[in-house]
């Protein structure tokens, strides 16, 4: 199946700093990628849809100026958490669809990035 | 609106069979996914049902009834490594660009 990678796998930062997380589709092209956040013991919550070559679409309640998304190529989307605070500590997961696949709706998930803000 | 419900947690014994239920309410229907997620890891794909009925894949089977808005995941011959969270998810449709909406996940504990 298709492979999605994320980098870094974990990061610890100080409050007020910015953190960039990369999501790459390794063996397929993805015009659309998705960013999720997951708090402990909770399910995945969709934050935004990353669209190659255009602006991301954010879910209700997600601050677009705080969570900057850039999808500059067909294999790379980045999420930047700006001015991070302890409440932003979470598990961030990206996913992508292989739009050439027969299972058009299947999403392939990256391994996740554990962010801890001190 | 869209809503997906699953039990929060279940416990079962090694070697047994367990059924995890999922009910959904969606403004349309474009299939139903089941994912497995171990703690601290990303979800991994288990099954995708579009048509009514049971689909079997080894020890795991998934069932769908579109008329009832109901699905279940059946795990047979449980192993300790099956202890994980099981997520039911449905694609949003009507130009939602392939977004998935997830249930809250069912935490399965397999005991010896």
């Amino acid at each position: 199946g298709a492979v999605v990678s994320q980098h870094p796998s974990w990061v610890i930062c100080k409050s007020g700093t910015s953190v960039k997380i990369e999501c790459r589709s390794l063996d397929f092209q993805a015009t659309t990628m998705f960013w999720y956040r997951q708090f402990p013991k909770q399910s995945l919550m969709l934050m935004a849809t990353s669209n190659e070559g255009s602006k991301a679409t954010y879910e209700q309640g997600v601050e677009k100026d705080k969570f900057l998304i850039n999808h500059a190529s067909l294999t790379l989307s980045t999420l930047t958490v700006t001015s991070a605070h302890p409440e932003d500590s979470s598990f961030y997961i990206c996913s992508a669809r292989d739009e050439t696949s027969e299972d058009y709706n299947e999403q392939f998930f990256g391994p996740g990035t554990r962010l801890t803000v001190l | 609106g869209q809503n997906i419900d699953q039990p929060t947690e279940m416990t079962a014994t090694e070697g047994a069979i367990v059924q995890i239920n999922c009910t959904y309410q969606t403004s349309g229907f474009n299939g139903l996914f089941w994912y497995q997620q171990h703690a601290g890891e990303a979800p991994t794909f288990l099954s995708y049902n579009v048509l009514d009925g049971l689909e079997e894949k080894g020890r795991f089977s998934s069932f769908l009834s579109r008329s009832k808005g109901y699905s279940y995941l059946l795990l047979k011959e449980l192993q300790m490594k099956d202890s994980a969270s099981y997520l039911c998810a449905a694609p949003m449709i009507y130009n939602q660009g392939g977004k998935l909406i997830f249930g809250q996940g069912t935490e399965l504990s397999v005991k010896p």
Side-chain angles (χ1 to χ4, degrees):
Chain A
V3 179
V4 175
S5 70
Q6 274 184 247
H7 178 80
S9 55
W10 61 271
V11 57
I12 301 172
C13 69
K14 292 182 179 180
S15 186
T17 60
S18 294
V19 175
K20 180 186 283 188
I21 303 170
E22 294 185 348
C23 176
R24 293 182 186 273
S25 56
L26 296 186
D27 49 2
F28 66 100
Q29 294 182 331
T31 57
T32 305
M33 293 185 177
F34 303 92
W35 286 97
Y36 295 86
R37 181 167 51 182
Q38 186 176 35
F39 293 106
K41 302 286 188 182
Q42 295 185 23
S43 190
L44 282 74
M45 295 299 295
L46 181 65
M47 298 175 67
T49 303
S50 174
N51 304 299
E52 188 269 334
S54 65
K55 291 183 180 179
T57 307
Y58 290 82
E59 295 301 301
Q60 195 171 10
V62 178
E63 300 175 57
K64 62 181 180 180
D65 293 330
K66 180 170 181 61
F67 298 99
L68 300 178
I69 291 173
N70 185 278
H71 195 149
S73 78
L74 287 171
T75 58
L76 174 64
S77 174
T78 61
L79 168 69
T80 301
V81 183
T82 62
S83 187
H85 290 283
E87 57 265 29
D88 298 323
S89 298
S90 188
F91 192 45
Y92 291 86
I93 306 173
C94 73
S95 72
R97 291 188 304 166
D98 180 355
E99 292 161 8
T100 63
S101 169
E102 285 184 7
D103 288 331
Y104 179 80
N105 282 304
E106 183 177 354
Q107 290 187 23
F108 299 94
F109 287 85
T113 298
R114 173 75 59 194
L115 171 63
T116 303
V117 185
L118 302 176
Chain B
Q2 315 239 152
N3 191 48
I4 297 180
D5 286 315
Q6 321 175 220
T8 306
E9 52 188 26
M10 298 182 71
T11 302
T13 305
E14 192 176 15
I17 298 173
V18 71
Q19 177 175 311
I20 303 174
N21 297 323
C22 170
T23 57
Y24 63 89
Q25 294 172 318
T26 56
S27 52
F29 183 75
N30 204 23
L32 199 83
F33 287 94
W34 282 97
Y35 285 87
Q36 180 192 59
Q37 186 180 27
H38 285 99
E41 299 180 12
T44 55
F45 171 80
L46 290 178
S47 66
Y48 175 50
N49 292 64
V50 178
L51 301 176
D52 290 349
L54 184 69
E55 290 198 10
E56 300 186 60
K57 278 186 186 180
R59 295 191 299 115
F60 292 7
S61 303
S62 56
F63 171 84
L64 176 68
S65 169
R66 288 173 295 174
S67 62
K68 296 181 179 178
Y70 168 68
S71 173
Y72 67 73
L73 182 69
L74 192 70
L75 291 75
K76 303 176 185 176
E77 301 170 19
L78 280 173
Q79 301 175 12
M80 299 298 289
K81 66 178 182 179
D82 297 329
S83 293
S85 183
Y86 291 86
L87 306 169
C88 178
M92 297 178 75
I93 61 170
Y94 300 139
N95 296 320
Q96 293 285 342
K99 293 192 291 188
L100 282 178
I101 180 169
F102 283 86
Q104 68 267 36
T106 299
E107 191 70 36
L108 173 66
S109 297
V110 180
K111 303 205 179 293

